[in-house]
Amino acid sequence: MKKFEFRTVPCIIVEAGITDKLGPLLREHYPQTRLCLVTDRYLHQSGLLDKALASLRAAGWQTQVIDDVIADPPEHVVLEAAQLARKSGAEIIVGLGGGSSMDVAKLLSVLLGADQPLTEMYGIGNVRGRRLPLVQIPTTAGTGSEVTPVSIVTTGETTKSGVVSPTLYADMAILDARLTLGLPAKATAATGIDAMVHAIEAYTSRHLKNPISDMLAIQALKLLSDNLLRACDHGQDLAAREAMLLGAMLAGQAFANSPVAAVHALAYPIGGIFHVPHGLSNSLVLPHVLRFNASHAATLYAELAELVVPNCTGSNEAKADAFISHLERLTQATGLECKLREVGVKQTDLRRMAQEGMKQTRLLGNNPREVGEEDAYAIYAAAF
Ligand SMILES: [Zn+2]
């Protein structure tokens, strides 16, 4: 067997409504008193967190809420949040929100736990020292950030940098599907498709694909593809929401160990330049990257097709083709934009996007087929 290593978060709690009892739950696990909760303003003001905050108070937690996390958090937001948390003497960090809140929580836990500047942490394996205890609670079923060792920061006008380190694996992930009931259909679709891409790209990742990530990716894709439309059309369906949240987490565990590839690489310029949400960016290029990859990944796509495409028969090539068409139809059925031109991209932007995409060498190296600038351009042209 090919050697491999697999890591994940040691404690995962799945229970609808559990965050109403967050105070006593954390009290069972931690003796500290000063807690910093990282979230976004919308969630904080929506009242969704009220019960969790009240239960923290009742259990004796001194809670500082940092709620100025925005999507694609810029570096200064992270540094200001760290300063606030340090000032209040935070002893434990809780991320509660979408991927951005959880990514900022990861960085706070290391910035407060060790004396290392953020600029020295960018890249793979550069975090030194320890971190504060870290608990992650997702409110979208998408990024899987609650179980990944990656944090993405916006470091320039259109550029992002990642901190990737095993130190960023949280101590605990709490999945409370009630927190996701109110997520609008479009955000449900975009984040859900992002999670599906995590599963697909983990399953076909070139170097680190392994039996555990395969098992997780398969289970994730099944849960996600079976429940995506139900969760979009019937947002209050708790069973569908739970399946999506679990699927997104399993996909997160898969790609944390068997990383994502060209769909994500080519999605980055769409998000970076045009500020299109991460999930939608992925969904826009998904079928076109998969068609490009099909000659090199037909067997793997055929295996996935058997899981999600009804009555899937024929050669591997035929099954792979059916898989890609199925995903395309699924995306269309969610009502998300399907063409780059619908999100503000112009034909004349495609060259620059292809050039930017080529910079994602860490991700492109995982793709089953090598991608050159002309290939990227052709993929964008097909998605236009
Ligand atoms: Zn993603």
Side-chain angles (χ1 to χ4, degrees):
M1 187 184 291
K2 202 176 134 206
K3 65 172 186 174
F4 73 96
E5 194 179 304
F6 184 89
R7 297 189 198 211
T8 193
V9 170
C11 177
I12 293 161
I13 297 176
V14 181
E15 183 182 339
I18 183 74
T19 48
D20 292 353
K21 298 173 277 183
L22 186 60
L25 173 67
L26 296 183
R27 186 50 70 222
E28 267 173 44
H29 291 81
Y30 300 102
Q32 288 86 346
T33 51
R34 289 189 299 276
L35 178 149
C36 173
L37 187 132
V38 184
T39 187
D40 63 64
R41 196 153 297 153
Y42 170 76
L43 276 175
H44 193 195
Q45 291 177 349
S46 70
L48 194 65
L49 312 184
D50 290 355
K51 281 189 180 161
L53 291 171
S55 98
L56 286 169
R57 256 194 310 278
W61 290 99
Q62 291 173 32
T63 307
Q64 173 191 33
V65 179
I66 293 182
D67 70 356
D68 41 18
V69 176
I70 51 173
D72 306 313
E75 198 173 44
H76 73 89
V77 166
V78 177
L79 296 174
E80 285 156 17
Q83 211 170 13
L84 284 173
R86 200 174 281 122
K87 217 191 244 174
S88 70
E91 297 170 301
I92 162 169
I93 308 290
V94 177
L96 198 163
S100 301
S101 293
M102 290 190 283
D103 278 12
V104 172
K106 286 173 190 172
L107 294 176
L108 291 200
S109 74
V110 290
L111 286 167
L112 269 73
D115 195 18
Q116 184 186 7
L118 179 56
T119 46
E120 285 179 15
M121 293 181 184
Y122 292 126
I124 299 174
N126 295 327
V127 176
R128 297 187 308 265
R130 297 156 63 85
R131 60 158 171 76
L132 297 188
L134 176 64
V135 175
Q136 299 281 32
I137 309 173
T139 58
T140 63
T143 66
S145 183
E146 67 276 15
V147 290
T148 70
V150 183
S151 182
I152 307 289
V153 180
T154 301
T155 44
E157 188 74 11
T158 59
T159 52
K160 293 185 180 188
S161 300
V163 179
V164 184
S165 161
T167 311
L168 297 187
Y169 279 115
D171 299 300
M172 186 190 287
I174 301 173
L175 305 191
D176 177 357
R178 288 229 185 116
L179 296 176
T180 67
L181 288 177
L183 198 66
K186 208 171 160 182
T188 302
T191 51
I193 289 168
D194 179 36
M196 291 174 70
V197 177
H198 294 157
I200 296 165
E201 295 210 288
Y203 195 75
T204 55
S205 200
R206 192 153 157 191
H207 304 295
L208 298 176
K209 173 181 166 64
N210 65 75
I212 302 179
S213 65
D214 281 353
M215 178 185 75
L216 292 163
I218 285 171
Q219 184 65 20
L221 189 63
K222 187 101 189 76
L223 284 165
L224 295 163
S225 63
D226 284 353
N227 289 279
L228 179 71
L229 293 180
R230 179 87 197 151
C232 290
D233 296 340
H234 302 275
Q236 294 296 316
D237 184 329
L238 188 63
R241 291 294 195 180
E242 282 198 297
M244 292 300 290
L245 196 56
L246 180 62
M249 190 272 289
L250 298 175
Q253 290 181 315
F255 92 87
N257 292 278
S258 176
V260 293
V263 177
H264 273 74
L266 298 189
Y268 267 118
I270 308 172
I273 303 171
F274 303 96
H275 304 289
V276 172
H278 174 77
L280 178 55
S281 304
N282 273 302
S283 142
L284 286 163
V285 290
L286 173 65
H288 309 288
V289 173
L290 263 47
R291 275 203 185 96
F292 170 79
N293 286 346
S295 57
H296 290 61
T299 310
L300 296 176
Y301 290 161
E303 288 166 11
L304 295 179
E306 286 169 12
L307 296 172
V308 299
V309 184
N311 310 317
C312 186
T313 52
S315 65
N316 281 347
E317 286 69 24
K319 287 179 186 170
D321 199 48
F323 178 58
I324 300 166
S325 302
H326 177 79
L327 292 172
E328 211 164 23
R329 280 195 302 275
L330 194 63
T331 312
Q332 280 163 4
T334 64
L336 283 180
E337 291 90 342
C338 292
K339 293 282 172 196
L340 290 174
R341 66 165 79 96
E342 296 170 55
V343 298
V345 178
K346 296 196 185 62
Q347 182 103 45
T348 47
D349 295 319
L350 302 186
R351 179 56 61 189
R352 177 181 170 209
M353 289 162 66
Q355 287 162 351
E356 286 289 320
M358 284 301 100
K359 293 180 187 164
Q360 299 293 332
T361 48
R362 176 173 71 85
L363 301 180
L364 290 172
N366 302 319
N367 202 54
R369 181 177 174 188
E370 205 164 314
V371 185
E373 190 185 314
E374 290 316 312
D375 302 319
Y377 184 88
I379 289 168
Y380 284 134
F384 182 73

